[in-house]
Amino acid sequence: MTSEEPTWLTAEQQRVWRSLHGVLLLLPIALDRQLQQDSELSLLEYYVLAGLSEDPTGAARLSDVAFLTNAELSRVSHLAARLEKRGLLVRRPDPADGRYTNAVITEEGRDLVRRAAPGHVATVRKLIFDALGEAGVPELGRAMDRIGTALSETDVPRIPGAGRRPPPGS
């Protein structure tokens, strides 16, 4: 019986991996703090409301919201209850299949997302795009596309719309 020695990361690969891992850990914390401070929303709450506001119907099944936010369905259900108490969304049975529950954004929810978005975008710009500089943006885009392609070749589910380029002028 033989066992192959693992192919370890080079020193440079290890440095880059640790840097990426640090960004994956710290970026959500920084974004969450900004949203909490400016809008009294958590990052998860913001992404739920923003996602609903971008849907033409303003609605989505809670199970879909859980998938898109990488959160457990029970966590999203509790979050929806909190947002409903704040008047930011309502929960309704899915008209296509009553076994599911939809989250539907309210006008108050839409207003809060509109007010929160500029600060969130400014923080994303400062932490990512300003740090990259103009030349670094396409470089990072290509790197993320390659990593996304590698992930798509695994059994990890794809996020709808990930990697999709927005229409010109948006």
Side-chain angles (χ1 to χ4, degrees):
M1 182 172 186
T2 63
S3 68
E4 285 188 37
E5 182 68 22
T7 305
W8 299 108
L9 298 178
T10 66
E12 178 65 2
Q13 290 170 336
Q14 178 105 11
R15 184 194 68 74
V16 170
W17 165 241
R18 288 182 182 197
S19 179
L20 175 60
H21 187 253
V23 168
L24 293 172
L25 290 173
L26 297 176
L27 184 59
I29 293 169
L31 295 173
D32 189 76
R33 285 182 179 169
Q34 176 273 317
L35 285 163
Q36 288 279 1
Q37 181 180 357
D38 293 356
S39 306
E40 296 180 1
L41 284 172
S42 70
L43 182 59
L44 182 58
E45 290 169 337
Y46 176 79
Y47 276 105
V48 167
L49 293 172
L52 292 173
S53 75
E54 291 171 358
D55 186 282
T57 67
R61 286 182 177 172
L62 288 179
S63 54
D64 292 341
V65 172
F67 175 75
L68 291 172
T69 58
N70 194 30
E72 296 292 326
L73 181 56
S74 61
R75 182 175 182 201
V76 170
S77 293
H78 290 294
L79 178 135
R82 287 193 312 273
L83 293 174
E84 190 169 34
K85 283 181 187 173
R86 292 173 61 186
L88 303 174
L89 64 77
V90 294
R91 291 176 292 171
R92 296 196 177 120
D94 185 332
D97 187 339
R99 296 174 297 171
Y100 295 97
T101 300
N102 285 348
V104 183
I105 193 166
T106 64
E107 278 309 308
E108 293 86 352
R110 286 184 189 279
D111 289 343
L112 184 55
V113 168
R114 279 192 282 270
R115 290 192 312 271
H120 177 66
V121 170
T123 302
V124 167
R125 180 175 303 286
K126 175 184 172 194
L127 296 177
I128 298 172
F129 298 105
D130 291 353
L132 286 171
E134 205 171 303
V137 173
E139 224 176 283
L140 179 63
R142 288 188 298 273
M144 294 297 100
D145 289 345
R146 289 191 302 271
I147 293 169
T149 298
L151 285 168
S152 73
E153 294 168 0
T154 69
D155 62 353
V156 174
R158 289 190 61 95
I159 297 174
R164 182 182 63 211
R165 302 221 187 274
S170 63

